[in-house]
Amino acid sequence: MAKSHLFILLCFLLNSVSSQTTVDEPTMQALKSHLNLTKDVDWSNPNPCKWPTVECSNNRVTRIQLNNKAIRGTLPSNLQTLTELTVLEFFMNQISGPIPDLSGLTRLQTLNLHDNLFDSVPKNLFSGMVSLQEAYLEYNPFSPWEIPESLKEATSLQKLSLTGCNLTGKIPDFFSSQTLPSLTSLQLSQNLLQGELPPSFGASSLQKLYLNGQKLNGSVSLLQNMTSLIELDLQGNAFSGPIPDLSGLEALSLFNVRENQLTGLVPPSLTGLKSLKTVNLTNNCFQGPTPEFGKSVAVDVIAKTNRFCLETPGAPCDPRVDTLLSVAESLGYPVKLATSWKGNDPCDGWLGITCSGSNVTVVNLGRQGLTGTISPSFAKIASLETINLSNNNLTGTIPNELTTLPKLKTLDVSNNDIYGGVPKFGDGVAVVTSGNANINKDGPLSPDGGGGGGSKKSSSVKIIAPVVGGVVVAALCLVGLGVCLYKKRRARPAKVQSPNSHVVVHPHHSGDGDAIKLSVAASSVGGSSNSQTPNSEIHVVESGNLVISIQVLRSVTNNFSEENILGKGGFGTVYRGELHDGTKIAVKRMEPSAVSDKGLEEFKSEITVLTKMRHRHLVALLGYCLDGNEKLLVYEYMPQGTLSQHLFHWKEEERKPLDWTRRLAIALDVARGVEYLHTLAHQSFIHRDLKPSNILLGDDMRAKVSDFGLVRLAPEGKYSIETRVAGTFGYLAPEYAVTGRVTTKVDIFSLGVILMELITGRKALDVTQPEDSVHLVTWFRRVAASKDKDKDAFKNAIDPNINLDEETLASVQIVWDLAGHCCAREPINRPDMGHIVNVLSSLTVQWKPSEADPDDLYGIDYDVPLPQAVKKWQASEGLSQTMDDSGSSSSAYGSRDNTQTSIPIRPSGFAASFTSVDGR
Ligand code: ATP
Ligand code: MG
């Protein structure tokens, strides 16, 4: 009896202890009621410390980690009271409203709210967060805001990501290691930041700095002092001036300055950096010799998009070019000169240069807004007769060396800020110095020597001999200015933003309201019920998505006849179809069981999104049909089938094996297509099902990625139906397979597997192999580990159908390393798609820019009916055959400039579930 009483008492005590709740309960209840929790989040226990994804210590809430659960709602304003919080994470949900005031959470170490729908940030965000180590707020549609001053208070901060956060204004100047001593990673890409790099960067301990894709400008000279840097991405800004001496950046691995206005020589301090793995200098105004980097460096330096003297890496320039470039150096390599001073012959129309034969006789750079100093290098151009540098903002002194020019007749430096004495020129030289307030006076730096031997006369104009009128007049005529034009562009489609979504809409024009009509003749019709009147119409509805009737699809596929079957996959069967004008399409008839029974509207909205993703390396989803149980998707037809056919079944299909160049080109196409998905205007789209059967080939053997987004249509939990597992399993990133966590890094992993397949010719899963080699990634890792010791192991692993010469072997080696990198176990250790594009593009044959307007070639023009549009793309792709492998995708090349070929969108609901982030 006594025992049973004791037992009951114990139970009671235990129970009361367990139900003893936390002082944080009211706040947590408020949180619960503000969030629209999904079914799989059970927060019903009265004690919040018992809630899954919540952790307490000493009965206080210390962690809330409610991530990737499709949760909507808002955050309550009193989260601040959770003063013991160390980790607050709600990333990858659809939470909206403001981020509440969190100031004073002194113990908070991690704040991770990325990929939500938050619309504002409190002014005092970070205030008092002295323990904060990591903050990730990227990809939220905040109303424009500036980096808050209160960030200074987060003195423990190590990593900060505010990518795609609508940041405006300047980057504040408090990033020195004195203020933020632990900050090593700063990601501010894809915002609207302006102005120059803050000087404090030069005194920071930053290792990763991502500022790509905005309006930053000015010099990059302070990089010289950022000696801790490992990764630097300044792509797509307006930085100008030369690259400084980078010899102190001994750990620098990534240097991406693509698409800026940088000028000057690419310094040996960059080319010689031992740590360097990836360099991208494309689309700048670099001058001098095309740089030559070490073999192990992945380089994207498209010579033609710069101003190099010759295209061959390392080839020296003409001495006249070298001399004039050192003149430009003293002027800070102005963009104006860089745009015009290209090629290896200064007498070939260079701005301000006049020649007699091949001798430079006149340098006329008056009124060019130049700053800097007068270079003593002028003295090396012995043929010079006239130097006109008047009406600029030059400073410094007139170099003594100029007096040695044997043929000099005129030196005009009037109206600048030159100081010091005027050197003694020979008789017959007209030296014009008027309009320099400090001429014959010591200047700001008290010149030594330079002007020392100068005349002490007070006159600022010293004309020793009559000016040779003709020469001066000629010299004063301005040559037309060159413009650093990278691309010729036509008018772009209008960008229209709807209140709840970021939609870029191509304007339609049509005589029929907003619809565009497309005629499809009923070529042959299977049965009477399927009969279709000729000229039945497919309507492009307002948003550009295409609804196609089942009758039309029956008609064009010959009633889904056997002989029209192109293949079967996890979602159903794909049929070939032909429109009346001969345009081919592929129709995917979805197996009802393979498609989730989501509401029709949701399905439609998801499909609508997919129809808008257009890129030359994505198989276009042209339209869809929903009719009762029938769900069909209509794709652009890819005549050469899948990569798996060419890679694994070439013998059966009596084809030739793919050569290495072709494999590289395909890999690059795929990377570019997926890079586009990952870098859509305000968000990332994740493919989730990259594999060779989803890589389709055109007649030119250029590749496109298909079936992006389809996984989203699969019913929950049904993802692993047998066919899908069979096709997909070997490509799944471990964290995705195990936890379902989806970031862009799952695509990187899959692409890594595809690279391994391209190298080895082996399938991701090959049950014909011995047990320990069935799984390609595992086998690959093993070979990779033994590669250094056993050179043969590496060579033996390469597909014997690849013709291996020395050059190919070196290229395979780089892709091998890249593949291994992509399949790193930890997502964080995998590169992003931009890096992969860089590496692969550096390995393919050099890109030759097309003269044609890329918009004309690859743009989607909604003004023309679909069959014509399809024809146009096909024609343009035919054209690409004439270009070389690496870069026919001139439009895709600048794939971050997505407006070029696409309609980026931010759909509600759908987008958020696709949204993710990478690069940390
Ligand atoms: P998953 O369902 O995971 O995508 P899958 O890619 O093997 O697997 P489907 O996408 O249904 O399956 O494609 C089946 C086959 O149809 C492909 O292997 C290919 O041969 C063919 N196919 C699909 N889309 C097209 C297309 N746009 N043009 C030409 N052939 C296509
Ligand atoms: Mg497929």
Side-chain angles (χ1 to χ4, degrees):
M1 243 353 181
K3 262 188 187 167
S4 71
H5 274 122
L6 196 62
F7 179 73
I8 291 167
L9 186 68
L10 242 170
C11 287
F12 174 78
L13 279 177
L14 275 175
N15 197 33
S16 63
V17 167
S18 72
S19 64
Q20 180 195 338
T21 193
T22 151
V23 292
D24 294 327
E25 202 218 324
T27 311
M28 293 302 285
Q29 290 296 352
L31 174 63
K32 182 179 157 187
S33 64
H34 275 73
L35 294 175
N36 271 337
L37 294 177
T38 41
K39 272 185 230 133
D40 58 336
V41 183
D42 177 11
W43 278 12
S44 56
N45 193 303
N47 182 356
C49 290
K50 302 270 166 161
W51 295 352
T53 69
V54 173
E55 271 183 35
C56 295
S57 167
N58 297 328
N59 241 359
R60 294 293 311 274
V61 174
T62 53
R63 284 170 172 259
I64 307 174
Q65 290 171 289
L66 201 52
N67 305 322
N68 203 358
K69 299 263 192 251
I71 292 170
R72 293 167 198 263
T74 57
L75 295 184
S77 57
N78 57 349
L79 283 185
Q80 234 177 349
T81 63
L82 302 177
T83 50
E84 293 296 314
L85 263 188
T86 57
V87 176
L88 184 62
E89 292 185 344
F90 293 106
F91 63 79
M92 292 174 77
N93 286 297
Q94 295 161 44
I95 304 172
S96 52
I99 293 181
D101 186 353
L102 301 172
S103 60
L105 290 183
T106 52
R107 292 177 192 273
L108 193 66
Q109 293 170 9
T110 304
L111 176 65
N112 195 340
L113 305 177
H114 73 77
D115 288 277
N116 272 288
L117 300 171
F118 289 111
D119 60 20
S120 65
V121 177
K123 275 231 152 51
N124 56 353
L125 182 73
F126 305 119
S127 185
M129 293 188 183
V130 289
S131 307
L132 191 69
Q133 293 170 8
E134 302 186 2
Y136 306 111
L137 303 183
E138 63 267 26
Y139 300 117
N140 272 291
F142 298 125
S143 47
W145 61 301
E146 296 194 8
I147 299 176
E149 278 287 308
S150 49
L151 181 61
K152 281 196 284 199
E153 297 176 38
T155 46
S156 306
L157 197 62
Q158 296 167 8
K159 294 180 183 175
L160 174 66
S161 175
L162 301 176
T163 299
C165 275
N166 238 345
L167 281 172
T168 58
K170 290 187 168 178
I171 303 177
D173 194 15
F174 49 62
F175 289 97
S176 73
S177 47
Q178 256 183 339
T179 315
L180 295 171
S182 311
L183 189 68
T184 54
S185 171
L186 182 62
Q187 308 219 2
L188 302 175
S189 315
Q190 297 169 43
N191 281 297
L192 304 163
L193 293 168
Q194 296 179 353
E196 305 197 356
L197 297 177
S200 58
F201 273 169
S204 72
S205 32
L206 284 171
Q207 295 174 3
K208 287 186 179 186
L209 178 60
Y210 282 77
L211 299 174
N212 45 301
Q214 40 211 331
K215 303 176 188 164
L216 298 166
N217 59 21
S219 152
V220 295
S221 59
L222 57 75
L223 293 179
Q224 178 167 359
N225 301 324
M226 297 185 71
T227 48
S228 312
L229 270 185
I230 299 173
E231 292 174 21
L232 174 74
D233 192 340
L234 303 181
Q235 177 172 337
N237 281 292
F239 288 112
S240 55
I243 300 177
D245 178 355
L246 298 179
S247 51
L249 280 65
E250 286 173 355
L252 190 70
S253 164
L254 167 73
F255 185 78
N256 181 5
V257 293
R258 181 163 129 177
E259 286 155 31
N260 278 286
Q261 291 173 28
L262 295 173
T263 52
L265 307 187
V266 176
S269 61
L270 176 65
T271 49
L273 271 185
K274 295 230 163 28
S275 51
L276 211 55
K277 293 214 171 80
T278 309
V279 181
N280 196 329
L281 307 177
T282 295
N283 273 343
N284 276 287
C285 297
F286 288 117
Q287 300 156 283
T290 296
E292 195 173 19
F293 288 89
K295 277 224 161 81
S296 60
V297 184
V299 190
D300 193 353
V301 186
I302 294 171
K304 284 205 168 155
T305 66
N306 275 297
R307 299 291 177 268
F308 297 123
C309 60
L310 294 165
E311 282 183 35
T312 316
C317 303
D318 185 289
R320 292 169 304 162
V321 172
D322 288 337
T323 306
L324 284 169
L325 287 182
S326 65
V327 166
E329 182 184 8
S330 298
L331 305 170
Y333 293 112
V335 173
K336 217 176 213 179
L337 293 190
T339 52
S340 162
W341 288 14
K342 59 186 176 200
N344 207 20
D345 181 5
C347 299
D348 186 15
W350 282 27
L351 173 67
I353 306 297
T354 305
C355 297
S356 161
S358 59
N359 292 327
V360 177
T361 51
V362 177
V363 175
N364 174 18
L365 296 173
R367 276 187 216 285
Q368 295 291 345
L370 301 176
T371 55
T373 59
I374 304 171
S375 170
S377 297
F378 275 117
K380 292 188 203 152
I381 315 174
S383 51
L384 260 185
E385 294 168 11
T386 302
I387 303 174
N388 175 22
L389 301 171
S390 64
N391 297 296
N392 286 298
N393 299 308
L394 300 176
T395 183
T397 57
I398 300 174
N400 269 334
E401 288 85 343
L402 269 53
T403 58
T404 64
L405 280 168
K407 299 196 170 163
L408 191 69
K409 297 195 177 89
T410 306
L411 171 66
D412 186 350
V413 297
S414 58
N415 300 319
N416 279 289
D417 197 12
I418 307 288
Y419 53 80
V422 178
K424 261 203 164 59
F425 284 86
D427 287 350
V429 182
V431 180
V432 188
T433 59
S434 54
N436 288 286
N438 291 316
I439 198 82
N440 289 325
K441 295 183 197 156
D442 283 355
L445 293 174
S446 180
D448 54 356
S455 151
K456 298 278 181 269
K457 285 182 192 163
S458 60
S459 161
S460 60
V461 185
K462 179 185 171 199
I463 299 182
I464 300 166
V467 172
V468 186
V471 175
V472 172
V473 171
L476 293 178
C477 288
L478 282 182
V479 185
L481 299 181
V483 182
C484 194
L485 259 191
Y486 301 125
K487 287 172 192 160
K488 180 167 62 102
R489 289 192 179 177
R490 284 195 320 171
R492 296 244 171 269
K495 247 195 175 190
V496 182
Q497 285 213 333
S498 74
N500 5 328
S501 59
H502 301 268
V503 184
V504 182
V505 183
H506 285 250
H508 302 294
H509 88 98
S510 153
D512 180 26
D514 265 348
I516 295 169
K517 288 178 180 173
L518 166 73
S519 298
V520 182
S523 42
S524 60
V525 180
S528 60
S529 65
N530 305 322
S531 66
Q532 173 68 31
T533 50
N535 296 326
S536 62
E537 287 165 338
I538 298 174
H539 287 268
V540 179
V541 295
E542 315 81 69
S543 53
N545 60 325
L546 195 66
V547 183
I548 307 172
S549 79
I550 184 79
Q551 288 87 349
V552 169
L553 293 181
R554 279 190 197 287
S555 153
V556 300
T557 59
N558 198 7
N559 198 23
F560 302 116
S561 65
E562 280 281 314
E563 68 270 19
N564 275 342
I565 292 183
L566 285 167
K568 286 188 186 175
F571 287 96
T573 309
V574 182
Y575 297 86
R576 183 188 294 107
E578 197 168 324
L579 302 183
H580 74 290
D581 66 346
T583 308
K584 290 200 170 125
I585 53 174
V587 182
K588 181 172 271 189
R589 193 180 192 188
M590 318 274 268
E591 205 71 61
S593 64
V595 192
S596 79
D597 47 6
K598 294 181 179 171
L600 213 58
E601 282 315 307
E602 201 180 336
F603 190 90
K604 267 194 215 162
S605 82
E606 299 205 343
I607 297 292
T608 307
V609 170
L610 299 178
T611 59
K612 289 176 180 165
M613 318 264 290
R614 296 285 169 91
H615 186 272
R616 74 178 266 109
H617 295 303
L618 296 181
V619 176
L621 176 59
L622 304 173
Y624 66 92
C625 165
L626 298 172
D627 191 307
N629 256 350
E630 291 276 13
K631 290 192 170 93
L632 299 110
L633 300 175
V634 178
Y635 287 97
E636 130 187 48
Y637 174 73
M638 297 296 291
Q640 289 300 322
T642 65
L643 173 61
S644 30
Q645 287 165 306
H646 290 265
L647 198 54
F648 307 126
H649 307 290
W650 53 274
K651 272 195 191 135
E652 296 101 284
E653 306 199 359
E654 295 180 356
R655 301 175 194 262
K656 275 204 222 139
L658 296 170
D659 62 31
W660 179 243
T661 324
R662 189 60 65 199
R663 293 178 202 219
L664 269 183
I666 291 171
L668 179 57
D669 290 347
V670 173
R672 283 181 173 151
V674 182
E675 186 195 28
Y676 164 78
L677 291 178
H678 286 185
T679 55
L680 277 176
H682 288 284
Q683 65 186 65
S684 287
F685 271 60
I686 303 163
H687 188 296
R688 305 191 193 194
D689 198 14
L690 273 180
K691 54 184 175 177
S693 78
N694 281 340
I695 296 168
L696 302 179
L697 298 161
D699 274 331
D700 57 358
M701 294 301 285
R702 301 310 303 254
K704 298 191 185 202
V705 175
S706 82
D707 289 345
F708 43 93
L710 277 205
V711 171
R712 289 286 313 153
L713 302 179
E716 300 279 319
K718 255 218 150 176
Y719 179 67
S720 51
I721 56 174
E722 215 173 290
T723 41
R724 303 202 53 72
V725 168
T728 305
F729 187 65
Y731 305 90
L732 284 191
E735 77 281 4
Y736 184 28
V738 174
T739 66
R741 175 168 158 71
V742 183
T743 67
T744 49
K745 299 288 170 129
V746 307
D747 287 346
I748 305 291
F749 187 93
S750 308
L751 185 62
V753 181
I754 296 169
L755 293 178
M756 291 178 184
E757 293 183 316
L758 287 166
I759 294 170
T760 62
R762 287 181 45 160
K763 289 185 184 170
L765 277 184
D766 186 352
V767 285
T768 63
Q769 296 290 334
E771 206 177 304
D772 61 348
S773 305
V774 166
H775 190 224
L776 178 60
V777 177
T778 315
W779 173 78
F780 188 96
R781 281 184 186 144
R782 216 175 34 244
V783 177
S786 66
K787 190 164 70 87
D788 289 340
K789 282 183 238 122
D790 181 2
K791 283 266 176 306
D792 282 346
F794 167 58
K795 274 199 180 165
N796 292 340
I798 300 171
D799 186 345
N801 297 300
I802 297 175
N803 232 342
L804 272 188
D805 54 26
E806 207 173 303
E807 205 180 326
T808 309
L809 191 65
S811 167
V812 173
Q813 168 79 63
I814 291 172
V815 181
W816 174 285
D817 292 343
L818 180 67
H821 193 185
C822 292
C823 291
R825 282 188 186 84
E826 292 299 327
I828 198 168
N829 294 330
R830 296 174 206 148
D832 61 20
M833 210 43 94
H835 174 83
I836 299 171
V837 169
N838 283 342
V839 175
L840 294 173
S841 56
S842 71
L843 294 176
T844 45
V845 190
Q846 206 157 60
W847 177 63
K848 294 192 181 65
S850 145
E851 285 303 313
D853 186 336
D855 280 1
D856 284 338
L857 288 174
Y858 312 121
I860 305 296
D861 186 351
Y862 279 92
D863 295 348
V864 299
L866 182 69
Q868 266 129 284
V870 174
K871 282 252 154 69
K872 206 169 150 197
W873 306 328
Q874 284 169 345
S876 70
E877 269 140 35
L879 233 167
S880 74
Q881 272 176 293
T882 59
M883 297 187 217
D884 59 24
D885 279 306
S886 62
S888 63
S889 54
S890 58
S891 66
Y893 205 87
S895 53
R896 286 174 202 277
D897 180 8
N898 295 321
T899 52
Q900 215 165 323
T901 51
S902 67
I903 318 172
I905 27 132
R906 182 164 185 123
S908 46
F910 183 90
S913 54
F914 260 73
T915 303
S916 180
V917 65
D918 61 15
R920 288 199 299 274

